Amino acid sequence: MLASLGITGNQLCFVSGLARTSVLHAGLIAALGPVIVLGVSILMRVEGPSLPKLTGMALSFGGVVLLVTQKTRGGTQASALGDLIIFVGTVAFAIYTILEKRIAGRYDDLVLNTFVFGLGAVLMLPFAALPVITMHWTHVPVRAWWGLAFLVICGSVIAYVIYAFALNELAASKVAVFSYLQPIIVAVLAIVFSGEHIRKMEIAAGALVLLGMYVSGRTSRRYVHHLAHS
């Protein structure tokens, strides 16, 4: 289940969605992860609902709705389909987070990630086998290989190991800080490296997402404490 959700499902959705939307939109929607974790935990009855939690989730999802509805008129790289695919991948990773937390303390971080990635690679074969066979590998430029190496080593291996370690060691308040920084960092990198232009409506949508994360995060410490000791 961890492999199918956190690796296969999440990566398929993220790569496919990113090809159909902008870097900024993908970053903002992916930053919804903590809010979606809270929502899924309520649906799974791990945590009870409350007005502040529901208000925070509504604000964050309202920001995503604002992204989806305004960008179709602007002729940008983003699309509603791409945003939706990114959102599905984010939901898959949120469920992965809850499930992994339940067993993270029983296994070594590196061992756990090795098995999860190994099974994820096997589950990816039905989707990736044909494209790999038909790909003209000699036409792939050198910079693409360097990019792939960075994605594998830094974006996957190192990032997932650190994430598993953080589930055991990092304080909830620090996790929240990094969650708030993610869309800001993505926005800056999108401007510098991708040449994307951020519009006022996207800034407003991002502000709603961050505000919702803050409101729901302040009211869900009991849930985080429960996860940390479960």
Side-chain angles (χ1 to χ4, degrees):
M1 184 63 72
L2 289 176
S4 63
L5 291 172
I7 308 300
T8 308
N10 174 258
Q11 292 299 317
L12 278 175
C13 288
F14 186 78
V15 174
S16 178
L18 189 58
R20 294 167 173 82
T21 192
S22 67
V23 173
L24 176 62
H25 284 218
L28 284 174
I29 296 173
L32 278 175
V35 177
I36 297 177
V37 168
L38 175 59
V40 172
S41 70
I42 292 176
L43 292 176
M44 295 175 63
R45 298 183 179 180
V46 175
E47 181 181 7
S50 67
L51 181 59
K53 295 172 189 174
L54 296 177
T55 300
M57 288 188 290
L59 287 171
S60 291
F61 286 118
V64 173
V65 171
L66 184 60
L67 278 180
V68 173
T69 55
Q70 63 89 23
K71 52 115 172 63
T72 55
R73 302 191 299 268
T76 67
Q77 302 175 22
S79 71
L81 177 61
D83 289 349
L84 177 61
I85 296 174
I86 293 289
F87 179 78
V88 171
T90 304
V91 172
F93 195 80
I95 301 175
Y96 161 85
T97 298
I98 294 175
L99 295 179
E100 185 180 39
K101 182 59 187 179
R102 293 181 176 180
I103 65 172
R106 306 178 192 173
Y107 308 100
D108 177 78
D109 297 334
L110 186 58
V111 171
L112 178 60
N113 278 275
T114 298
F115 275 95
V116 171
F117 267 84
L119 289 172
V122 173
L123 294 173
M124 188 75 76
L125 288 177
F127 305 97
L130 182 60
V132 168
I133 294 174
T134 58
M135 178 71 182
H136 298 288
W137 295 103
T138 56
H139 296 168
V140 179
V142 175
R143 65 177 184 177
W145 287 111
W146 280 111
L148 177 62
F150 178 85
L151 289 175
V152 171
I153 298 173
C154 298
S156 295
V157 178
I158 295 178
Y160 273 78
V161 170
I162 291 176
Y163 191 77
F165 175 80
L167 285 176
N168 282 325
E169 304 293 337
L170 204 58
S173 58
K174 293 183 179 179
V175 174
V177 170
F178 287 113
S179 298
Y180 302 148
L181 288 176
Q182 179 177 332
I184 299 174
I185 295 174
V186 169
V188 173
L189 294 179
I191 295 174
V192 175
F193 293 103
S194 300
E196 293 189 8
H197 300 283
I198 300 179
R199 295 171 296 172
K200 294 180 179 179
M201 293 296 288
E202 290 172 333
I203 295 176
L208 279 176
V209 171
L210 291 175
L211 178 61
M213 292 170 60
Y214 175 75
V215 172
S216 61
R218 280 175 59 86
T219 59
S220 61
R221 291 185 180 180
R222 184 180 303 175
Y223 164 65
V224 177
H225 180 79
H226 168 78
L227 281 181
H229 293 84
S230 63

